[in-house]
Amino acid sequence: MPRRIVIIGAHAAGLDAASAARKTDRTAEITLITEEKHAGYSRCGLPFVIGGQIPSFNDLIVFPQSYYQMMKLTLKTETKVTKIDTGKKAVETVDKTGKTEEIPYDSLIIATGASAFTPPIKGREKQGILPLRTLEDGEKIDQAIKNGAKTAVVMGAGLIGLETAVALQERGLQVTVVEMLPQVLPAMLDADMAKIVQEMLQQKGINILVGKAVEEFLGTEKVTGIVAGGEQINADLFISAFGVRANTQLAVDAGIALGETRTIKTNARMETNIKDVYAVGDCAESTHIVTQKPTVQQLGTVAVRQGKVAGINAAGGYALFTGVLGSAVTQLYDTQVGVTGLTEAAAQRARIETVTGTITSKTKAHYYPGAKPIKVKLVVEKELQRIIGAQIMGGEEVTQRINAVSFAIQKQMTIRELAKADTAYAPPLCETWEPIVLAAEMALMKLR
Amino acid sequence: MPRRIVIIGAHAAGLDAASAARKTDRTAEITLITEEKHAGYSRCGLPFVIGGQIPSFNDLIVFPQSYYQMMKLTLKTETKVTKIDTGKKAVETVDKTGKTEEIPYDSLIIATGASAFTPPIKGREKQGILPLRTLEDGEKIDQAIKNGAKTAVVMGAGLIGLETAVALQERGLQVTVVEMLPQVLPAMLDADMAKIVQEMLQQKGINILVGKAVEEFLGTEKVTGIVAGGEQINADLFISAFGVRANTQLAVDAGIALGETRTIKTNARMETNIKDVYAVGDCAESTHIVTQKPTVQQLGTVAVRQGKVAGINAAGGYALFTGVLGSAVTQLYDTQVGVTGLTEAAAQRARIETVTGTITSKTKAHYYPGAKPIKVKLVVEKELQRIIGAQIMGGEEVTQRINAVSFAIQKQMTIRELAKADTAYAPPLCETWEPIVLAAEMALMKLR
C-alpha cells in the first residue's frame, strides 16, 4: 500500500514539502489541503503587484495547475482542516460546499502558516482594516486604490509595512506609517541603520511616525481615521501590518506541543512531539544558528528549506534542518536593505557582548561613473571574535553581500579571518577593498 | 634615527605598503620609487577609459599628490632602480636627467610588478604592437583610435585581452581576438563556461579565433598584419595581450631567490630569503589557499593585501598574509564573469579529484520583470566534499556571489553545508532558492 502523506497548507513550506516527498517516494499518495482559493503563490511578491512592478496578482502563482499533475499531487483548495486525530492518524476536513471528509495519513506535515494580526485596539471590529497576507488581501487593496483612495495609513513599520507603504506611494497615495517602537524595521535593523532607512523614506515623501502606538480606530461602521500618540490621522485606506501570528490552534487541539516562541516545537528533522507529525514554515519553531536557542523566522527561505527537510523525512528519507540565521533583504525604492544573524540589539538581548564595525563605501571603483553608496555594519562576538551578524544597505549588490556574511557566520569565521579574506574586484563592479572587509578592519581596531 | 623604508614600485602593492607602513610607524622615512611618470593609478581601469565608460585616463589616478603629502611619503617618479645592494642595505637609482643616487634602507619592499610580454614571434621587433599595461599604453591606443584606426587584432583572450577587445568594439572598431589555447579566459574558466562567453562576444560582433597561435607579424617597419593558424589578418591596430611577466631581474641580480613560479619567493610575512627585504604584488609568489602550493595571481586585490602585510612588517609591526584564492571578476558588455578557487581543469592539474554542480537560474524571482540569467558552476573536492572553486556568470550580482563562495572555500565549507545554507531573498533581488545553493544540490546528487 502506498504511503499516505497529508500536508496542511499549500504555499512555500507545504509545496516544497510535497515536491521533496515526491522525489523521495515515487509512489506515495500526497495530498495538500488549503483554506485558500489559490495555492502556491508568492506572498512576498504582493507589495510589488500593488506597486505596479509586477503586472498582475496571477503572476505570483508560482506553481501552476500542471505542476500538481506532473508531480501527482492531490490539491484540495477552499478546504478547511477541522481536526487532527493523531491517534487514528487522520485529519477531518470540510470543503466550501460543507462536505466533510476524513483523510487518513501515514505522515502529516503541518504548514498552516501565520495570519495577519491586529492587536486588541479600541474599534478594531470596524470594517476597512486591510491586511496584506493573501492574494485576496492584495486584490482588495488594489481595488481600493482603483476606487479612488488618495491617502493611506500603514500600521507597522516591519518589512511588509514598509514595502506596502512604498507600493502605495508609488501608486500616488499620500502615505503615513505608524510604528509603536522607536524605529522602523525593528526586528531587522539596529536603530542607527534604521534611522537612515527612515530618512530615505521621508525624503521620498512618506510620513513616518515612530514611537507611536495606534490607540483607537475612528469611524462609524467603517474606519475613517486612527488615533496614534494622541494625534488623529484620517485616511481612505488602513493597512494592518502589525505583524503575524502563527496558526497553531489546530495543532494545539491535537496535543501537539508548542515551544517557547509559541510556535510548534520541532527537532532537526522537523518532527513535532507526536510521531509522524511534522511542522514547517511560519507556524514552526527552529534553532538559531548563533544563539542555538529556539527562534521563529517567518521567511519564505526558511519555509522552503524546512519544507524540503520535512518532505524527505515524511516520505521515509533522512534529512536535517540545520537552523536559521534570519537572512533577509528588501528593496525600498532604490535602496536595498539586508540583514543576517543578530543585530547589536538582539545580541544584547541574548546577553552576547559585541563590538561592531561600520563602513560607508561605494559599489564600484570611486572613479567609475554610476557608483552607488553602500553601508556595512558587522556585529562581532567579543571573546571569540566571531562574526555573528551584518546589516547592509546600498544601491545595489546588497543581497549577495548578506549571503557572503551569512556563509561566514555559518562557518564561524572570525573577524580577523574576514579582514584577510580573498575577494574579487573589477572597476565597474566593486572597490578594490571590499566594503565587508573594510568593516571587519573597523571592528578589529576596536578589539586591539 | 627614524626607520628608513624604501619601496620599489608605486602602484597598488607599493602604495598600500606605504600606507600601512605609515600607519604602523608615524616617524619612518618612506620613499617610493617608480620608473613611470604617473604613480598610484588603477591599471584595471584602463580598458574602461578606452571603452568610454570612464571619461579620462587621469580619473584613474587613485592617489593624488596631496595623498603623499598627507601621509608624508617621498615619491620619486621617472626614476629607475639600477641595483639593490643587500649587503650595504641600499638601492642605487638613476633619474630621467641621468642623476644617480644611493638610497639606504632599513626595510626594502620590492613591488616591481610585471610587464606586458610578447613571445618571440617572427617580426615582433616591428613597430605598432601595443600592450595595455600603463597609462601611456592606454593613451597610445586611444590616440590610434582617434587617428582613425578601424580594425584591431587583440592577441590573447585573457581578462585584459577581452576587456580591451570589448572596449575597442564599443569605440566602433572591427575587432578580432586571437588566442593560442582552445578557449577564451583559459586561466579563469573551464571550457564549458568559456564557450558561453565566447558565443556572447561573437554575438556582439567580435571575431574570435581560438586554438590559433600568432606565427608572424607582417609589414615593413610597422606591423600591418599577422599570420595566425596559417591565416593572414590585416588590421590598423595590434594589441599585445599575451600576458605579463614578473619584473624580477633586479631581485635576481641582488641574490633574492625566486620560487617555482619564477616570481620572488616569500613567506607569510611577505619576506624574501634576504633579511629586511619584502616582495609584494605581481612580482611576488604566495600560497594558494586550496592547494597550499606556491602560486602567483597577478590581481589588484592580491597586490593591496600583500602590500598591507609587507608595509606593517617592514615598519616593525607583525602581520601575516594568509594566501590567495584568485577571486576575480570582470564585466564584458552586460555579462559579468567571475571565478574563485580552482577551476575543474586546474583541480585536475593539481591531481584533485572533483565533482561539479552547475545550474542556470535568474537574478530575480522569475515572475519579477527584468530578471537576468545567472549560471553557477561549483567545483567540489570529492573525498572531503569541500567546495574548492566556483565560476559564475550572469547579468548582475555576480561579484558578491563569488565573494560568498570565496568565504565558503576559505572556511572549508562542505557541499552539504552549502546545500543547507541560510540565504536572503526578496522578489526584486533574487530567487527563493539561491542559485549557489541549487548548484550545491546538483553537485550533491553526483556524490550520492
Side-chain angles (χ1 to χ4, degrees), chain B residues 204-222:
Chain B
K204 293 282 187 178
I206 295 182
N207 182 30
I208 298 187
L209 306 173
V210 291
K212 297 206 191 301
V214 178
E215 290 142 9
E216 188 177 350
F217 292 104
L218 304 172
T220 47
E221 280 190 19
K222 195 172 173 303

Side-chain angles (χ1 to χ4, degrees), chain A residues 73-323:
Chain A
L73 307 174
T74 305
L75 172 65
K76 294 175 182 284
T77 54
E78 297 180 87
T79 301
K80 187 176 164 67
V81 176
T82 51
K83 188 184 172 186
I84 299 169
D85 188 331
T86 61
K88 207 193 251 184
K89 296 189 87 171
V91 299
E92 294 173 13
T93 65
V94 56
D95 73 9
K96 65 174 170 174
T97 69
K99 199 182 134 222
T100 60
E101 193 183 358
E102 187 181 272
I103 307 173
Y105 66 77
D106 297 301
S107 301
L108 176 69
I109 299 174
I110 302 173
T112 44
S115 296
F117 165 83
T118 300
I121 295 162
K122 189 178 169 193
R124 75 160 166 173
E125 71 290 348
K126 295 185 209 294
Q127 282 171 24
I129 306 171
L130 303 179
L132 180 52
R133 179 75 190 167
T134 66
L135 215 142
E136 288 74 17
D137 293 341
E139 285 169 340
K140 274 185 203 159
I141 294 170
D142 188 58
Q143 197 53 53
I145 300 167
K146 285 174 177 158
N147 290 349
K150 297 280 174 250
T151 55
V153 170
V154 175
M155 296 165 286
L159 267 181
I160 292 291
L162 292 191
E163 285 176 356
T164 308
V166 169
L168 295 172
Q169 208 256 12
E170 285 171 333
R171 287 285 290 273
L173 279 76
Q174 191 67 39
V175 181
T176 298
V177 176
V178 181
E179 167 63 46
M180 184 178 66
L181 291 169
Q183 66 168 83
V184 300
L185 298 173
M188 188 171 172
L189 298 180
D190 284 318
D192 54 346
M193 298 294 274
K195 191 160 172 281
I196 302 167
V197 174
Q198 184 177 333
E199 285 169 1
M200 180 277 290
L201 294 172
Q202 286 167 334
Q203 274 172 18
K204 293 281 187 179
I206 295 182
N207 182 30
I208 298 187
L209 305 173
V210 291
K212 298 206 192 300
V214 178
E215 290 142 8
E216 190 179 349
F217 293 103
L218 305 172
T220 48
E221 280 189 19
K222 196 173 172 303
V223 178
T224 55
I226 61 162
V227 179
E231 189 186 341
Q232 181 174 340
I233 309 162
N234 294 336
D236 303 325
L237 192 55
F238 296 86
I239 308 292
S240 167
F242 293 99
V244 296
R245 291 291 177 277
N247 297 323
T248 55
Q249 195 57 52
L250 201 58
V252 168
D253 290 346
I256 295 163
L258 301 187
E260 60 185 73
T261 64
R262 309 307 300 152
T263 56
I264 301 171
K265 195 174 165 75
T266 60
N267 64 14
R269 295 187 71 181
M270 301 314 298
E271 293 170 312
T272 67
N273 65 317
I274 306 285
K275 192 171 177 304
D276 297 324
V277 179
Y278 301 81
V280 292
D282 290 359
C283 67
E285 191 172 87
S286 47
T287 303
H288 196 285
I289 290 171
V290 172
T291 64
Q292 290 297 312
K293 295 260 167 62
T295 187
V296 58
Q297 303 277 355
Q298 287 153 329
L299 295 165
T301 43
V302 173
V304 296
R305 290 165 53 221
Q306 290 181 336
K308 185 175 172 183
V309 168
I312 292 169
N313 288 320
Y318 178 78
L320 299 180
F321 183 72
T322 49

Side-chain angles (χ1 to χ4, degrees), chain B residues 162-353:
Chain B
L162 293 191
E163 285 176 357
T164 307
V166 169
L168 294 172
Q169 208 255 12
E170 284 172 333
R171 288 286 290 275
L173 279 76
Q174 191 67 38
V175 181
T176 298
V177 176
V178 180
E179 168 62 47
M180 183 178 67
L181 292 167
Q183 65 168 82
V184 299
L185 297 173
M188 188 170 170
L189 298 180
D190 283 319
D192 54 345
M193 298 293 274
K195 190 160 171 282
I196 302 166
V197 175
Q198 182 177 334
E199 285 168 2
M200 180 276 292
L201 293 172
Q202 285 167 334
Q203 273 172 19
K204 293 282 187 178
I206 295 182
N207 182 30
I208 298 187
L209 306 173
V210 291
K212 297 206 191 301
V214 178
E215 290 142 9
E216 188 177 350
F217 292 104
L218 304 172
T220 47
E221 280 190 19
K222 195 172 173 303
V223 177
T224 56
I226 61 163
V227 179
E231 190 186 340
Q232 180 173 342
I233 309 162
N234 293 335
D236 303 325
L237 191 57
F238 296 87
I239 308 292
S240 166
F242 293 99
V244 296
R245 290 291 177 275
N247 297 322
T248 55
Q249 195 56 51
L250 201 59
V252 168
D253 291 346
I256 295 163
L258 301 188
E260 60 185 74
T261 65
R262 310 307 299 153
T263 57
I264 301 171
K265 196 175 166 74
T266 60
N267 64 15
R269 295 187 71 182
M270 301 314 297
E271 293 170 312
T272 67
N273 65 318
I274 306 285
K275 193 173 178 303
D276 297 324
V277 180
Y278 302 81
V280 291
D282 289 358
C283 67
E285 191 172 86
S286 48
T287 303
H288 196 286
I289 290 171
V290 171
T291 63
Q292 290 296 313
K293 295 260 168 62
T295 188
V296 57
Q297 303 278 355
Q298 287 153 330
L299 295 165
T301 43
V302 173
V304 295
R305 290 165 53 220
Q306 291 180 335
K308 186 175 170 182
V309 168
I312 292 170
N313 288 320
Y318 178 77
L320 299 180
F321 183 73
T322 48
V324 299
L325 269 184
S327 304
V329 70
T330 187
Q331 173 139 7
L332 301 169
Y333 301 106
D334 295 332
T335 301
Q336 305 176 359
V337 184
V339 66
T340 185
L342 299 182
T343 59
E344 202 180 347
Q348 198 167 25
R349 285 194 297 274
R351 302 178 65 186
I352 297 171
E353 207 169 328

Side-chain angles (χ1 to χ4, degrees), chain A residues 236-428:
Chain A
D236 303 325
L237 192 55
F238 296 86
I239 308 292
S240 167
F242 293 99
V244 296
R245 291 291 177 277
N247 297 323
T248 55
Q249 195 57 52
L250 201 58
V252 168
D253 290 346
I256 295 163
L258 301 187
E260 60 185 73
T261 64
R262 309 307 300 152
T263 56
I264 301 171
K265 195 174 165 75
T266 60
N267 64 14
R269 295 187 71 181
M270 301 314 298
E271 293 170 312
T272 67
N273 65 317
I274 306 285
K275 192 171 177 304
D276 297 324
V277 179
Y278 301 81
V280 292
D282 290 359
C283 67
E285 191 172 87
S286 47
T287 303
H288 196 285
I289 290 171
V290 172
T291 64
Q292 290 297 312
K293 295 260 167 62
T295 187
V296 58
Q297 303 277 355
Q298 287 153 329
L299 295 165
T301 43
V302 173
V304 296
R305 290 165 53 221
Q306 290 181 336
K308 185 175 172 183
V309 168
I312 292 169
N313 288 320
Y318 178 78
L320 299 180
F321 183 72
T322 49
V324 299
L325 269 185
S327 305
V329 70
T330 186
Q331 173 139 7
L332 303 169
Y333 299 107
D334 295 331
T335 301
Q336 305 176 358
V337 184
V339 65
T340 185
L342 299 182
T343 60
E344 203 180 347
Q348 198 166 24
R349 286 194 297 274
R351 301 177 67 186
I352 297 171
E353 208 169 328
T354 59
V355 298
T356 62
T358 303
I359 196 97
T360 303
S361 184
K362 297 273 187 185
T363 58
K364 304 176 192 293
H366 68 272
Y367 55 77
Y368 199 95
K372 295 173 183 174
I374 187 144
K375 191 178 180 85
V376 177
K377 176 176 180 174
L378 295 176
V379 182
V380 183
E381 187 279 329
K382 203 169 172 179
E383 185 169 354
L384 298 179
Q385 305 192 351
R386 285 184 189 149
I387 305 145
I388 59 169
Q391 296 154 66
I392 304 177
M393 68 180 68
E396 58 188 342
E397 300 270 339
V398 166
T399 309
Q400 299 301 329
R401 282 188 166 95
I402 287 296
N403 288 349
V405 180
S406 169
F407 291 0
I409 296 173
Q410 288 169 76
K411 289 301 293 179
Q412 308 195 322
M413 189 181 266
T414 68
I415 196 72
R416 287 177 189 277
E417 290 172 320
L418 184 55
K420 299 272 181 191
D422 189 285
T423 58
Y425 151 72

